[in-house]
Amino acid sequence: DAARAERLYRAILAERPDDVEAWYQLGEVLFHYGAVRGQPIRLAQEPFERAHALDPKTGHAVLHLLDIAARAGDDARFDSLLS
C-alpha cells in the first residue's frame, strides 16, 4: 500500500527529520510507485537527495538520482552525480 507507506514515512520524518532510512524509503515509495499513483518520478528526488546528504554512503540513492536526472535530460546534474 504505497499511499500508506508514504504517510508512515512522512510521519516518521516529521518526528525524526535526520532519519536516513526513512528518507531513503520515502524516495523508494515515490520512485517505484508514484507513476501508478499519477505522480511524477521527480517527486522522489528530494527524499533521495536528503538521504544522500545525511549519509553520502547511501549509494542506492545516488543510482536513483542518476536515473531521475537522465529521464529529465539534465546532463549537468547527471555528470555531477556520476563524478
Side-chain angles (χ1 to χ4, degrees):
D1 183 353
R4 181 170 184 261
E6 181 181 352
R7 283 192 308 274
L8 290 172
Y9 286 123
R10 290 190 186 281
I12 291 168
L13 291 166
E15 292 192 21
R16 297 189 321 227
D18 292 337
D19 188 317
V20 175
E21 185 68 18
W23 279 114
Y24 178 77
Q25 293 302 332
L26 175 59
E28 284 285 316
V29 169
L30 296 173
F31 186 90
H32 294 287
Y33 299 101
V36 296
R37 297 170 56 211
Q39 299 172 328
I41 196 170
R42 65 180 160 70
L43 292 181
Q45 183 171 336
E46 180 187 0
F48 285 135
E49 286 176 346
R50 294 288 299 269
H52 181 64
L54 290 166
D55 181 4
K57 295 178 184 175
T58 313
H60 293 289
V62 173
L63 293 176
H64 288 325
L65 288 169
L66 283 164
D67 195 354
I68 293 167
R71 291 175 192 229
D74 188 345
D75 295 336
R77 176 81 172 132
F78 185 90
D79 290 344
S80 173
L81 289 164
L82 195 56
S83 65

